[in-house]
Protein backbone atom coordinates (compact mmCIF):
# COMPACT_ATOMS: atom_id res chain seq x y z
CA UNK A 1 0.00 0.00 0.00
CA UNK A 2 0.97 3.64 -0.34
CA UNK A 3 1.04 5.85 2.76
CA UNK A 4 1.37 9.63 2.60
CA UNK A 5 2.32 11.66 5.66
CA UNK A 6 1.59 15.39 5.80
CA UNK A 7 4.24 16.47 8.29
CA UNK A 8 6.46 19.33 9.33
CA UNK A 9 9.87 19.41 7.57
CA UNK A 10 11.73 16.13 8.13
CA UNK A 11 14.84 17.90 9.40
CA UNK A 12 12.80 19.32 12.29
CA UNK A 13 11.58 15.94 13.49
CA UNK A 14 13.26 14.01 16.31
CA UNK A 15 13.37 10.38 15.13
CA UNK A 16 13.76 8.91 18.61
CA UNK A 17 10.73 10.82 19.91
CA UNK A 18 8.29 11.79 17.17
CA UNK A 19 5.31 9.50 16.63
CA UNK A 20 5.18 10.52 12.96
CA UNK A 21 8.61 8.93 12.42
CA UNK A 22 7.52 5.82 14.33
CA UNK A 23 4.46 5.49 12.08
CA UNK A 24 6.50 5.99 8.90
CA UNK A 25 9.10 3.44 10.04
CA UNK A 26 6.34 0.94 10.83
CA UNK A 27 4.78 1.37 7.38
CA UNK A 28 8.16 0.87 5.71
CA UNK A 29 9.03 -2.17 7.87
CA UNK A 30 5.70 -3.77 6.94
CA UNK A 31 6.57 -3.39 3.25
CA UNK A 32 4.52 -0.33 2.30
CA UNK A 33 5.58 2.76 0.35
CA UNK A 34 6.11 5.90 2.42
CA UNK A 35 5.62 9.35 0.90
CA UNK A 36 5.83 12.76 2.55
CA UNK A 37 4.47 16.21 1.87
CA UNK A 38 3.66 19.38 3.79
CA UNK A 39 0.43 21.27 4.31
CA UNK A 40 1.68 24.18 2.18
CA UNK A 41 2.29 21.78 -0.72
CA UNK A 42 -1.37 20.78 -1.10
CA UNK A 43 -3.63 21.95 -3.92
CA UNK A 44 -7.11 21.28 -5.27
CA UNK A 45 -7.06 20.73 -9.03
CA UNK A 46 -10.09 19.58 -10.98
CA UNK A 47 -12.01 19.12 -7.74
CA UNK A 48 -9.42 16.71 -6.31
CA UNK A 49 -6.69 17.14 -3.69
CA UNK A 50 -3.14 17.02 -5.03
CA UNK A 51 0.18 17.24 -3.26
CA UNK A 52 3.88 17.53 -3.97
CA UNK A 53 4.75 14.03 -2.77
CA UNK A 54 8.27 12.74 -2.16
CA UNK A 55 9.13 9.08 -1.56
CA UNK A 56 11.21 8.66 1.58
CA UNK A 57 13.42 5.84 2.85
CA UNK A 58 14.07 5.68 6.58
CA UNK A 59 16.85 4.13 8.63
CA UNK A 60 14.94 2.88 11.69
CA UNK A 61 16.08 3.85 15.18
CA UNK A 62 17.84 1.28 17.37
CA UNK A 63 17.38 0.62 21.07
CA UNK A 64 20.73 1.30 22.75
CA UNK A 65 21.12 1.23 26.54
CA UNK A 66 17.48 2.02 27.19
CA UNK A 67 16.96 4.78 24.64
CA UNK A 68 16.21 5.15 20.94
CA UNK A 69 19.26 6.10 18.89
CA UNK A 70 18.97 7.32 15.29
CA UNK A 71 21.54 7.18 12.52
CA UNK A 72 23.23 10.51 11.77
CA UNK A 73 21.50 10.48 8.38
CA UNK A 74 18.20 8.82 9.20
CA UNK A 75 16.19 9.52 6.03
CA UNK A 76 16.66 9.78 2.28
CA UNK A 77 14.08 11.75 0.37
CA UNK A 78 13.65 11.93 -3.40
CA UNK A 79 12.47 14.82 -5.56
CA UNK A 80 8.74 15.57 -5.24
CA UNK A 81 6.16 14.97 -7.94
CA UNK A 82 2.66 16.42 -8.11
CA UNK A 83 0.15 13.63 -7.57
CA UNK A 84 -3.47 13.25 -6.52
CA UNK A 85 -3.66 12.15 -2.90
CA UNK A 86 -6.25 9.59 -3.99
CA UNK A 87 -3.29 7.69 -5.49
CA UNK A 88 -2.43 6.91 -1.86
CA UNK A 89 -4.22 4.25 0.19
CA UNK A 90 -3.96 6.31 3.38
CA UNK A 91 -3.02 9.88 4.27
CA UNK A 92 -1.90 10.83 7.77
CA UNK A 93 -2.42 14.51 8.63
CA UNK A 94 0.37 15.01 11.18
CA UNK A 95 1.15 18.73 11.05
CA UNK A 96 1.85 20.08 14.53
CA UNK A 97 -0.36 22.79 16.06
CA UNK A 98 -1.08 25.65 16.36
CA UNK A 99 -4.40 25.14 14.61
CA UNK A 100 -4.31 28.47 12.83
CA UNK A 101 -5.87 29.71 9.59
CA UNK A 102 -3.35 27.91 7.29
CA UNK A 103 -3.94 24.68 9.22
CA UNK A 104 -7.71 25.00 8.87
CA UNK A 105 -7.37 25.78 5.16
CA UNK A 106 -5.29 22.60 4.76
CA UNK A 107 -8.17 20.58 6.24
CA UNK A 108 -10.53 22.16 3.68
CA UNK A 109 -8.19 21.04 0.90
CA UNK A 110 -8.17 17.51 2.34
CA UNK A 111 -11.97 17.41 2.07
CA UNK A 112 -11.49 16.77 -1.66
CA UNK A 113 -10.03 13.30 -1.15
CA UNK A 114 -12.59 10.57 -1.88
CA UNK A 115 -12.95 8.64 1.42
CA UNK A 116 -14.00 5.56 -0.56
CA UNK A 117 -10.52 5.50 -2.14
CA UNK A 118 -8.25 6.87 0.57
CA UNK A 119 -8.45 6.85 4.37
CA UNK A 120 -7.47 10.18 5.94
CA UNK A 121 -6.19 9.96 9.53
CA UNK A 122 -7.62 11.96 11.15
CA UNK A 123 -10.75 13.08 9.27
CA UNK A 124 -10.46 16.71 8.08
CA UNK A 125 -13.95 17.42 9.43
CA UNK A 126 -13.02 15.78 12.72
CA UNK A 127 -9.88 17.92 12.98
CA UNK A 128 -11.97 21.06 12.52
CA UNK A 129 -14.62 19.96 15.01
CA UNK A 130 -12.23 18.80 17.72
CA UNK A 131 -10.36 21.70 19.26
CA UNK A 132 -7.99 19.81 21.55
CA UNK A 133 -9.14 21.73 24.62
CA UNK A 134 -12.83 22.39 23.87
CA UNK A 135 -13.62 18.89 22.60
CA UNK A 136 -13.27 17.43 26.10
CA UNK A 137 -16.10 19.62 27.45
CA UNK A 138 -18.80 17.31 26.06
CA UNK A 139 -17.72 14.37 28.25
CA UNK A 140 -19.55 15.17 31.46
CA UNK A 141 -18.22 13.45 34.53
CA UNK A 142 -14.87 12.82 32.85
CA UNK A 143 -13.44 16.35 33.04
CA UNK A 144 -12.51 18.55 36.02
CA UNK A 145 -14.55 21.70 36.68
CA UNK A 146 -13.81 23.91 33.70
CA UNK A 147 -14.73 27.27 32.23
CA UNK A 148 -13.89 28.87 28.89
CA UNK A 149 -13.92 32.63 28.85
CA UNK A 150 -12.14 35.79 27.76
CA UNK A 151 -13.64 37.80 30.63
CA UNK A 152 -11.17 38.79 33.31
CA UNK A 153 -14.02 39.06 35.80
CA UNK A 154 -15.33 35.55 35.08
CA UNK A 155 -11.85 34.02 35.23
CA UNK A 156 -10.95 35.87 38.41
CA UNK A 157 -14.16 34.74 40.15
CA UNK A 158 -13.44 31.13 39.18
CA UNK A 159 -9.88 31.29 40.53
CA UNK A 160 -11.03 32.94 43.78
CA UNK A 161 -13.69 30.28 44.23
CA UNK A 162 -11.31 27.37 43.55
CA UNK A 163 -8.20 28.81 45.17
CA UNK A 164 -6.01 27.58 42.31
CA UNK A 165 -6.55 26.90 38.62
CA UNK A 166 -4.70 26.14 35.40
CA UNK A 167 -5.13 28.42 32.37
CA UNK A 168 -4.63 26.95 28.88
CA UNK A 169 -4.64 28.67 25.49
CA UNK A 170 -7.17 26.95 23.22
CA UNK A 171 -4.70 26.52 20.36
CA UNK A 172 -1.39 25.69 22.01
CA UNK A 173 0.71 22.55 22.11
CA UNK A 174 3.37 20.88 24.24
CA UNK A 175 2.44 22.88 27.34
CA UNK A 176 3.01 26.24 25.68
CA UNK A 177 1.30 29.14 27.44
CA UNK A 178 -0.15 27.04 30.27
CA UNK A 179 -0.23 29.05 33.50
CA UNK A 180 -0.83 28.22 37.15
CA UNK A 181 -3.24 30.78 38.62
CA UNK A 182 -3.60 31.27 42.35
CA UNK A 183 -5.99 33.29 44.47
CA UNK A 184 -4.28 36.40 45.83
CA UNK A 185 -1.58 36.55 43.16
CA UNK A 186 -1.00 40.23 42.41
CA UNK A 187 -0.09 39.31 38.82
CA UNK A 188 -3.41 37.55 38.18
CA UNK A 189 -5.02 40.36 36.19
CA UNK A 190 -1.93 40.81 34.04
CA UNK A 191 -1.62 37.08 33.37
CA UNK A 192 -5.23 36.93 32.24
CA UNK A 193 -4.88 40.06 30.08
CA UNK A 194 -1.81 38.65 28.34
CA UNK A 195 -3.36 35.22 27.80
CA UNK A 196 -6.67 36.57 26.49
CA UNK A 197 -5.00 39.27 24.37
CA UNK A 198 -6.73 41.96 26.40
CA UNK A 199 -10.03 40.12 26.61
CA UNK A 200 -10.36 39.32 22.89
CA UNK A 201 -9.43 35.60 22.83
CA UNK A 202 -11.08 32.96 25.07
CA UNK A 203 -8.96 30.60 27.16
CA UNK A 204 -9.72 27.46 29.12
CA UNK A 205 -9.44 27.55 32.91
CA UNK A 206 -9.64 24.33 34.91
CA UNK A 207 -9.56 23.74 38.64
CA UNK A 208 -6.05 22.73 39.62
CA UNK A 209 -5.65 19.02 40.24
CA UNK A 210 -3.03 18.41 42.95
CA UNK A 211 -2.52 14.92 41.48
CA UNK A 212 -0.65 16.66 38.64
CA UNK A 213 2.51 16.24 40.70
CA UNK A 214 2.10 12.47 40.27
CA UNK A 215 1.94 12.77 36.51
CA UNK A 216 -0.05 13.63 33.41
CA UNK A 217 -0.95 10.34 31.74
CA UNK A 218 -1.03 10.10 27.94
CA UNK A 219 -3.21 7.29 26.61
CA UNK A 220 -3.12 6.45 22.91
CA UNK A 221 -6.45 5.42 21.38
CA UNK A 222 -6.83 3.64 18.04
CA UNK A 223 -10.40 3.88 16.71
CA UNK A 224 -11.54 4.52 20.29
CA UNK A 225 -9.63 1.59 21.82
CA UNK A 226 -6.79 2.30 24.28
CA UNK A 227 -3.62 0.62 23.01
CA UNK A 228 -0.97 2.04 25.34
CA UNK A 229 -0.11 4.68 27.94
CA UNK A 230 2.81 6.61 29.38
CA UNK A 231 3.03 8.81 32.46
CA UNK A 232 4.72 12.23 32.23
CA UNK A 233 5.87 13.50 35.60
CA UNK A 234 6.85 17.14 36.30
CA UNK A 235 10.47 17.71 37.30
CA UNK A 236 12.16 20.44 39.33
CA UNK A 237 9.99 23.49 39.90
CA UNK A 238 7.87 22.81 36.82
CA UNK A 239 4.14 22.05 37.36
CA UNK A 240 3.65 20.84 33.76
CA UNK A 241 4.40 17.24 32.90
CA UNK A 242 4.74 17.70 29.12
CA UNK A 243 7.80 16.01 27.65
CA UNK A 244 8.54 19.20 25.70
CA UNK A 245 9.16 21.09 28.96
CA UNK A 246 11.26 18.39 30.61
CA UNK A 247 8.64 16.07 32.06
CA UNK A 248 10.06 12.68 33.05
CA UNK A 249 8.40 9.69 31.40
CA UNK A 250 7.57 6.55 33.33
CA UNK A 251 5.92 3.20 32.66
CA UNK A 252 2.27 3.08 33.70
CA UNK A 253 -0.93 1.06 33.50
CA UNK A 254 -4.43 2.10 32.47
CA UNK A 255 -6.79 2.16 35.48
CA UNK A 256 -10.43 1.08 35.52
CA UNK A 257 -11.50 4.74 35.77
CA UNK A 258 -9.39 5.57 32.72
CA UNK A 259 -10.85 2.64 30.79
CA UNK A 260 -14.32 4.02 31.60
CA UNK A 261 -13.31 7.40 30.20
CA UNK A 262 -11.99 5.73 27.03
CA UNK A 263 -15.30 3.88 26.65
CA UNK A 264 -17.17 7.18 27.05
CA UNK A 265 -15.07 8.78 24.30
CA UNK A 266 -14.98 5.84 21.87
CA UNK A 267 -18.33 6.26 20.06
CA UNK A 268 -17.83 10.03 19.69
CA UNK A 269 -14.28 9.63 18.32
CA UNK A 270 -15.48 6.97 15.88
CA UNK A 271 -18.40 9.16 14.76
CA UNK A 272 -16.03 12.06 14.08
CA UNK A 273 -13.41 10.03 12.21
CA UNK A 274 -10.79 10.59 14.90
CA UNK A 275 -8.95 7.31 14.54
CA UNK A 276 -5.57 8.09 16.12
CA UNK A 277 -5.91 10.15 19.30
CA UNK A 278 -3.94 10.86 22.46
CA UNK A 279 -5.90 11.76 25.59
CA UNK A 280 -4.43 13.35 28.70
CA UNK A 281 -5.63 12.30 32.16
CA UNK A 282 -4.66 13.76 35.53
CA UNK A 283 -5.95 12.27 38.76
CA UNK A 284 -8.67 10.34 36.96
CA UNK A 285 -9.91 13.37 35.00
CA UNK A 286 -9.75 13.95 31.25
CA UNK A 287 -7.97 17.24 30.53
CA UNK A 288 -7.33 17.18 26.75
CA UNK A 289 -8.10 15.21 23.60
CA UNK A 290 -5.13 15.46 21.22
CA UNK A 291 -6.11 14.85 17.59
CA UNK A 292 -3.66 16.81 15.40
CA UNK A 293 -0.33 15.01 15.95
CA UNK A 294 -0.52 13.07 19.22
CA UNK A 295 2.81 11.78 20.45
CA UNK A 296 3.87 9.10 22.91
CA UNK A 297 4.40 6.05 20.67
CA UNK A 298 8.18 5.93 21.07
CA UNK A 299 8.01 6.16 24.86
CA UNK A 300 5.28 3.50 25.17
CA UNK A 301 7.20 1.18 22.83
CA UNK A 302 10.35 1.68 24.90
CA UNK A 303 8.76 0.81 28.25
CA UNK A 304 6.44 -1.96 27.07
CA UNK A 305 8.47 -3.67 24.35
CA UNK A 306 5.71 -3.19 21.77
CA UNK A 307 5.31 -1.45 18.40
CA UNK A 308 2.24 0.75 18.44
CA UNK A 309 3.23 2.08 15.02
CA UNK A 310 2.85 -1.37 13.51
CA UNK A 311 -0.48 -1.82 15.29
CA UNK A 312 -1.75 1.46 13.80
CA UNK A 313 -0.52 0.66 10.28
CA UNK A 314 -2.01 -2.84 10.42
CA UNK A 315 -5.35 -1.34 11.50
CA UNK A 316 -5.26 1.08 8.56
CA UNK A 317 -4.47 -1.76 6.14
CA UNK A 318 -7.48 -3.72 7.45
CA UNK A 319 -9.76 -0.72 6.90
Amino acid sequence: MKFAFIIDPLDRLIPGHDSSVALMEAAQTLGHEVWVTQANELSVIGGKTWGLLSPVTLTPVNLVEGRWVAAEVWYEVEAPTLQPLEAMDAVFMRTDPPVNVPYLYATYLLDYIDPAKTLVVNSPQGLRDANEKMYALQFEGAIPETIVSQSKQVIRQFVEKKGAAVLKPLGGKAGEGILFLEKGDRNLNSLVEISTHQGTVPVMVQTYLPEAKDGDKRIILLNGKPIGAINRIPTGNEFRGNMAVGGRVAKTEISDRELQICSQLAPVLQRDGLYFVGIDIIGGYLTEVNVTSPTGIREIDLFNGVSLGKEVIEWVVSH
Side-chain angles (χ1 to χ4, degrees):
M1 290 177 66
K2 293 184 176 183
F3 286 77
F5 292 83
I6 304 168
I7 51 173
D8 296 315
L10 279 167
D11 59 7
R12 292 191 206 164
L13 301 185
I14 303 170
H17 168 67
D18 280 310
S19 291
S20 295
V21 184
L23 291 165
M24 290 190 291
E25 276 183 18
Q28 176 181 285
T29 300
L30 290 169
H32 306 295
E33 293 181 24
V34 178
W35 298 72
V36 295
T37 188
Q38 294 177 39
N40 62 0
E41 295 175 336
L42 301 177
S43 304
V44 171
I45 304 169
K48 298 291 183 183
T49 310
W50 292 61
L52 284 170
L53 289 159
S54 300
V56 64
T57 303
L58 304 161
T59 301
V61 296
N62 290 307
L63 185 57
V64 179
E65 296 180 355
R67 65 188 186 95
W68 297 118
V69 176
E72 188 172 345
V73 179
W74 59 271
Y75 66 88
E76 292 180 13
V77 64
E78 297 178 32
T81 55
L82 186 64
Q83 299 182 52
L85 263 66
E86 285 177 12
M88 301 287 130
D89 296 287
V91 173
F92 280 79
M93 177 56 167
R94 294 280 307 171
T95 301
D96 275 347
V99 178
N100 50 18
V101 170
Y103 184 99
L104 289 172
Y105 285 171
T107 69
Y108 289 127
L109 269 63
L110 292 174
D111 280 335
Y112 291 88
I113 298 173
D114 184 350
K117 296 179 179 179
T118 304
L119 180 68
V120 182
V121 181
N122 286 313
S123 153
Q125 181 69 51
L127 290 173
R128 289 193 293 273
D129 288 347
N131 173 275
E132 297 190 325
K133 307 297 189 296
M134 294 289 293
Y135 195 72
L137 292 175
Q138 64 191 292
F139 301 108
E140 292 183 14
I143 65 167
E145 194 166 346
T146 302
I147 63 168
V148 177
S149 181
Q150 53 207 344
S151 165
K152 185 162 57 179
Q153 179 182 352
V154 170
I155 295 170
R156 188 176 188 93
Q157 286 176 348
F158 183 82
V159 173
E160 288 176 350
K161 179 183 174 185
K162 296 299 171 187
V166 174
L167 181 151
K168 300 178 181 181
L170 294 181
K173 65 175 175 66
E176 294 171 357
I178 294 179
L179 300 172
F180 177 76
L181 304 180
E182 198 167 17
K183 179 181 178 181
D185 184 347
R186 289 182 292 179
N187 290 313
L188 182 59
N189 285 345
S190 291
L191 291 172
V192 173
E193 288 163 4
I194 293 166
S195 298
T196 63
H197 298 254
Q198 304 298 323
T200 61
V201 177
V203 293
M204 173 174 280
V205 185
Q206 292 181 324
T207 185
Y208 174 67
L209 299 169
E211 296 90 345
K213 69 180 186 304
D214 301 320
D216 180 350
K217 192 176 292 189
R218 163 61 54 87
I219 301 176
I220 299 292
L221 283 77
L222 178 60
N223 198 32
K225 173 192 170 189
I227 59 171
I230 196 79
N231 199 23
R232 302 163 299 175
I233 302 167
T235 55
N237 295 322
E238 179 62 71
F239 76 95
R240 298 169 296 176
N242 306 73
M243 289 181 276
V245 296
R248 175 174 65 86
V249 292
K251 183 179 173 68
T252 191
E253 303 295 332
I254 302 173
S255 71
D256 289 343
R257 160 73 174 169
E258 291 157 355
L259 287 172
Q260 289 171 1
I261 291 173
C262 293
S263 296
Q264 188 179 352
L265 269 64
V268 182
L269 297 175
Q270 291 165 345
R271 179 198 71 195
D272 292 342
L274 298 170
Y275 309 110
F276 185 70
V277 167
I279 64 171
D280 295 341
I281 294 184
I282 297 174
Y285 286 100
L286 175 70
T287 59
E288 287 186 28
V289 181
N290 297 272
V291 301
T292 52
S293 58
T295 193
I297 282 185
R298 288 293 200 204
E299 292 74 21
I300 295 168
D301 286 356
L302 183 67
F303 282 106
N304 296 338
V306 296
S307 176
L308 294 193
K310 286 184 180 179
E311 190 170 345
V312 173
I313 298 299
E314 288 168 349
W315 179 85
V316 170
V317 169
S318 70
H319 288 74

